[in-house]
Amino acid sequence: MRIVKVFKSSKAFNFECDSIAPDKSISHRCAMFSLLSDKTSTIDNFLLAEDTLASLSIAKQLGAKVKIDKSHIEINPPKELIEPNNILDCGNAGTGMRLYSGLLAGFDGLFILTGDKYLRERPMGRVIKPLRDIGARIDGREDGQLAPIVIRGGKLKPFRYKSLVASAQVKSALILAGLKAYSKSYYREDRLSRDHTERMLNGMGANINLLDNGWLEIKPLKKPLNPLNIRVPADPSSGFFFAVASAITPNSSIILKDVTLNPTRVEAYRVLKEMGADIEFIEKENLYEPIGDISIRYNGELKGVTVSRNIAWLIDELPALAIAMAVAKGESIVKNAKELRVKESDRISSVLDGLNRCGIKTIERDDGYDIIGGELKSARVNSYGDHRVAMSFAIAGIKSSMEIEDVACIDTSFPNFFEILSEITEVK
Ligand code: S3P
């Protein structure tokens, strides 16, 4: 087990960072969606991390020819997807497993998706059940609740499906299935979840439209899509660890360069601003999504905040936000965030366990928690194999030295995380 020690530092830092990991959600989608074209997709700044490389390997097993030159990749799709002669390993990635389930359900062949020990315990019924309802032959352990998932792809029926969870992974799986159904399908979610799938597929020529009545209309594909030609922006969820570092270190500032500013992805920055940090968004271009820089500046002690809405838009940043809440003045409350329980770890219990070890008082609830701001004490914390928990406590180490157990998981999303952190403080 890899253990890292991050040392306390009160030294101010001010820098521009252009090496935040490329966006994970978009990189996964690049690997998968390129299979829906008949021409070569060109992707710059693809995330070379375990999760997204797993999606790329699966694309290869399905017949794509992939050229990799550092983070520039070209994906030449096969004429017809190949039935792979082995299982498809999604690693730690829920996005990989759920989106590939929807995509492969509509293609002829037998496909078996599996993942690491964490992914094999995460709920898959949320995609398997609606896919079964539209005629997919798909199964998993515990009657389709858990991976490995076995798919015998084929014809799919059009659907009208109202989702029970605000999940971009469920929405994307159903959109991908809808592209292969024999007529128009409709999908509805109560709150918009991240919309990279709709933006990217429409950019490739698909027809997915949000109607005035709130339903998303998905027209089936009549011909292969145009290839992707994209530079993946930096990942705001990865950048957020350094946003918190800057917001809690006196006289510090950081500019995160070329990040996606998609509104469904930057809500945590809005909350950090509400807590008192000085934050500015500088939009520079629009390539499938708005892209630009985010400047975060220390602006005095943070104050407690209540987070209860737009949860799907900041669910991935709640662990890092918990560190900001732990050092803020007063109490912070997180509600309506039960989804945290089924992420890479049960993030309500793993984050609160870490905070409690650091001497922070918390109250655990089924769908969230209260954090009573105070002084972080040095501690040894467990990541529970969850990359975002590991990185959050590494940032806490800037305030009070931390030992973090089991940090290898960081390689699933942000392999150069410690390199950037070393510019701020000592890491061993
Ligand atoms: C993701 C969607 C979110 C998010 C995950 C990535 C995606 O999950 O937490 O890290 O790329 O679609 P849910 O769809 O389960 O909310």
Side-chain angles (χ1 to χ4, degrees):
M1 185 173 64
R2 218 172 112 207
I3 300 172
V4 155
K5 184 158 185 185
V6 178
F7 292 87
K8 173 179 170 165
S9 165
S10 43
K11 211 167 80 213
F13 58 87
N14 299 278
F15 65 101
E16 282 195 0
C17 185
D18 62 3
S19 53
I20 295 296
D23 194 72
K24 182 148 81 91
S25 290
I26 297 176
S27 296
H28 275 300
R29 286 162 173 79
C30 286
M32 296 171 194
F33 298 173
S34 60
L35 296 171
L36 301 173
S37 178
D38 56 353
K39 300 196 180 64
T40 302
S41 285
T42 307
I43 298 132
D44 264 319
N45 205 33
F46 182 83
L47 172 62
L48 299 173
E50 285 171 5
D51 270 11
T52 45
L53 286 171
S55 282
L56 197 58
S57 289
I58 293 176
K60 281 197 222 166
Q61 283 177 271
L62 295 167
K65 299 260 176 305
V66 178
K67 273 199 214 154
I68 305 189
D69 178 9
K70 301 206 181 86
S71 62
H72 173 89
I73 64 168
E74 288 176 14
I75 307 177
N76 183 1
K79 282 209 164 45
E80 302 275 340
L81 291 199
I82 289 175
E83 181 179 66
N85 63 4
N86 205 343
I87 55 166
L88 305 171
D89 188 354
C90 301
N92 187 245
T95 305
M97 183 168 279
R98 296 196 180 110
L99 270 63
Y100 266 126
S101 297
L103 187 141
L104 294 173
F107 283 89
D108 288 334
L110 180 79
F111 310 98
I112 302 173
L113 294 165
T114 191
D116 69 9
K117 65 177 181 184
Y118 302 102
L119 187 55
R120 280 182 275 121
E121 295 310 317
R122 293 182 63 190
M124 293 299 146
R126 54 180 60 194
V127 290
I128 291 183
K129 181 163 183 322
L131 288 171
R132 274 181 181 169
D133 290 346
I134 63 170
R137 287 178 294 168
I138 177 166
D139 210 345
R141 281 186 302 136
E142 298 192 8
D143 191 24
Q145 291 307 312
L146 300 174
I149 297 177
V150 182
I151 303 164
R152 161 92 46 205
K155 297 239 168 330
L156 298 176
K157 292 185 280 195
F159 57 87
R160 177 174 278 271
Y161 182 71
K162 187 166 183 319
S163 175
L164 307 171
V165 275
S167 158
Q169 294 177 0
V170 175
K171 172 174 64 176
S172 303
L174 271 286
I175 290 176
L176 290 164
L179 294 180
K180 298 289 285 179
Y182 58 77
S183 92
K184 278 188 243 174
S185 295
Y186 296 89
Y187 183 90
R188 189 179 177 122
E189 52 188 356
D190 278 343
R191 298 238 161 235
L192 180 70
S193 60
R194 67 185 66 187
D195 59 356
H196 307 297
T197 296
E198 300 90 300
R199 288 175 186 256
M200 289 170 71
L201 290 174
N202 282 339
M204 296 171 77
N207 234 310
I208 303 160
N209 297 304
L210 187 59
L211 306 178
D212 289 343
N213 62 10
W215 286 82
L216 199 58
E217 181 188 67
I218 305 140
K219 292 196 182 139
L221 292 187
K222 293 216 174 64
K223 56 179 176 47
L225 292 173
N226 299 318
L228 280 162
N229 186 354
I230 185 173
R231 180 176 170 82
V232 179
D235 193 318
S237 308
S238 297
F240 195 67
F241 298 106
F242 294 101
V244 170
S246 173
I248 64 176
T249 311
N251 304 317
S252 296
S253 67
I254 191 162
I255 298 178
L256 306 171
K257 303 290 288 179
D258 304 319
V259 183
T260 172
L261 301 181
N262 182 322
T264 64
R265 297 294 305 281
V266 293
E267 182 75 359
Y269 291 84
R270 191 197 58 70
V271 172
L272 196 58
K273 189 169 180 168
E274 191 182 329
M275 294 176 81
D278 182 355
I279 298 189
E280 248 184 280
F281 298 95
I282 306 122
E283 188 174 328
K284 297 195 299 197
E285 57 177 326
N286 203 309
L287 179 65
Y288 302 96
E289 325 229 324
I291 294 169
D293 300 343
I294 310 180
S295 142
I296 304 100
R297 195 173 279 282
Y298 177 84
N299 190 27
E301 193 182 16
L302 296 175
K303 51 184 191 307
V305 71
T306 295
V307 178
S308 61
R309 63 189 173 93
N310 294 335
I311 294 295
W313 292 6
L314 49 60
I315 194 85
D316 290 346
E317 293 75 35
L318 284 172
L321 214 39
I323 303 303
M325 292 170 170
V327 299
K329 191 168 165 24
E331 189 180 356
S332 291
I333 301 173
V334 174
K335 291 185 203 164
N336 305 326
K338 200 165 178 187
E339 274 295 297
L340 284 174
R341 299 244 179 231
V342 291
K343 291 292 173 188
E344 286 82 329
S345 68
D346 172 344
R347 285 187 178 155
I348 296 184
S349 68
S350 45
V351 166
L352 296 191
D353 174 59
L355 290 179
N356 294 155
R357 288 177 197 225
C358 301
I360 297 293
K361 289 205 178 66
T362 61
I363 300 169
E364 176 168 355
R365 269 176 284 95
D366 192 34
D367 70 339
Y369 42 79
D370 297 0
I371 296 176
I372 294 93
E375 205 176 310
L376 283 169
K377 295 198 176 62
S378 285
R380 180 166 169 146
V381 296
N382 188 338
S383 75
Y384 292 93
D386 184 329
H387 57 135
R388 299 205 196 276
V389 175
M391 289 187 273
S392 299
F393 283 96
I395 295 300
I398 300 171
K399 277 279 175 207
S400 186
S401 302
M402 293 286 159
E403 268 185 289
I404 303 121
E405 295 171 2
D406 200 359
V407 293
C409 50
I410 293 176
D411 287 343
T412 61
S413 68
F414 200 168
N416 60 329
F417 171 78
F418 284 119
E419 239 169 78
I420 304 177
L421 186 58
S422 307
E423 295 190 30
I424 297 176
T425 192
E426 192 186 346
V427 179
K428 258 205 209 136

